[in-house]
């Protein structure tokens, strides 16, 4: 659109917002919990005059989104659908009593004392996924595994349990989601302490890893239809 690059400030999903906004545009995310987290974080930066516009494809917009907007922001209206998409308009009701942000949420990992913390956009944030549970039963234990990658780490459960079973290994956690990597880091250090060696990065697959740098790669892939 011709705007200079330096006029745009990008922030990740866990960084704090600053100031007040006149206009807020939101593409409704796949995960409603993420929208809930975003709205609660946004609220202190809204004014009654702020224009808030959300957009999404009709088939992916759950009816509960209206209730969520009315509960966390204020009165909400919609425009007629066009080309299977819909706009939603919300405006701030400054008198609403808004609950505290419920994220991150925690659960105790079955069969262990580990507390697993999950930011809003993390896969299977409320309980252990059945695929992950099955994977955990088959994690290798090797004396010669010095570098293990938890690829698409989510909350980092696979890497955490691989660290337990492979005491000599450094675990490398990677996920494309900032919230996932932050959760994995919290969970790993809380469970195993700061001395245990690990690296954490936000990235696309194995792009940032050197060739032949891993002894073992763990990956519980995402089904493309899956919603968190
Ligand atoms: C099915 S979840 C598995 C999470 C965790 N490993 C587990 O087993 O519970 C897949 C994860 O892969 C991440 N992911 C998807 N595409 C990715 C990519 N290209 N690079 C890095 N991570 C990716 C998602 O953000 C998600 O956290």
């Amino acid at each position: 659109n011709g705007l200079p690059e330096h006029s745009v400030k990008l922030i990740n999903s866990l960084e704090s917002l600053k100031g007040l906004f006149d206009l807020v545009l939101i593409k409704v995310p796949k995960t409603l919990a993420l929208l809930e987290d975003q709205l609660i974080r946004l609220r202190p930066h809204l004014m009654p005059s702020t224009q808030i516009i959300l957009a999404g494809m009709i088939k992916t917009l759950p009816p509960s989104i209206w209730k969520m907007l009315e509960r966390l922001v204020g009165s909400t209206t919609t425009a007629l659908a066009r080309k299977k998409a819909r706009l939603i308009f919300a405006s701030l009701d400054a008198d609403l009593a808004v609950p505290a942000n419920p994220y991150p949420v925690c659960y105790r990992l079955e069969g262990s004392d580990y507390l697993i913390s999950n930011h809003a956009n993390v896969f299977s944030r409320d309980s252990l996924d059945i695929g992950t549970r099955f994977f955990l039963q088959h994690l290798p234990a090797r004396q010669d595994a010095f570098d293990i990658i938890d690829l698409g780490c989510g909350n980092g459960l696979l890497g955490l349990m691989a660290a337990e079973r492979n005491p000599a290994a450094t675990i490398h956690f990677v996920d494309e989601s900032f919230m996932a990597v932050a959760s994995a880091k919290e969970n790993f250090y809380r469970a195993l302490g700061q001395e245990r060696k690990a690296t954490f990065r936000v990235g696309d697959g194995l792009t940032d890893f050197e060739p032949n740098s891993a002894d073992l790669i763990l990956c519980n892939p995402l089904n493309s239809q899956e919603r968190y």
Side-chain angles (χ1 to χ4, degrees), residues 107 121-124 128-129 131-133 135 150-159 174-177 180 201-207 218-223 226 228:
Y107 65 87
N121 197 28
V122 173
F123 170 75
S124 203
L128 181 62
D129 167 62
T132 312
R133 180 186 291 128
F135 203 149
D150 183 350
L151 173 58
C153 62
N155 58 23
L157 267 180
L158 293 176
V174 60
D175 201 290
E176 63 179 5
S177 152
R201 69 191 87 185
V202 177
D204 180 12
L206 296 173
T207 316
L218 306 170
C219 183
N220 177 15
L222 184 66
N223 170 341
E226 212 148 20
Y228 295 176

Side-chain angles (χ1 to χ4, degrees), residues 151-226:
L151 173 58
C153 62
N155 58 23
L157 267 180
L158 293 176
L160 168 60
M161 296 313 285
E164 256 201 355
R165 278 172 220 180
N166 298 269
T170 299
I171 317 292
H172 306 278
F173 293 86
V174 60
D175 201 290
E176 63 179 5
S177 152
F178 281 89
M179 287 190 164
V181 174
S183 304
K185 194 171 187 177
E186 279 168 42
N187 293 330
F188 185 83
Y189 287 133
R190 180 173 41 232
L192 302 183
Q194 295 284 338
E195 302 73 37
R196 187 63 202 262
K197 281 206 269 176
T199 68
F200 299 87
R201 69 191 87 185
V202 177
D204 180 12
L206 296 173
T207 316
D208 298 333
F209 290 88
E210 293 297 321
N212 303 317
S213 61
D215 300 300
L216 179 63
I217 299 174
L218 306 170
C219 183
N220 177 15
L222 184 66
N223 170 341
S224 60
Q225 300 304 312
E226 212 148 20

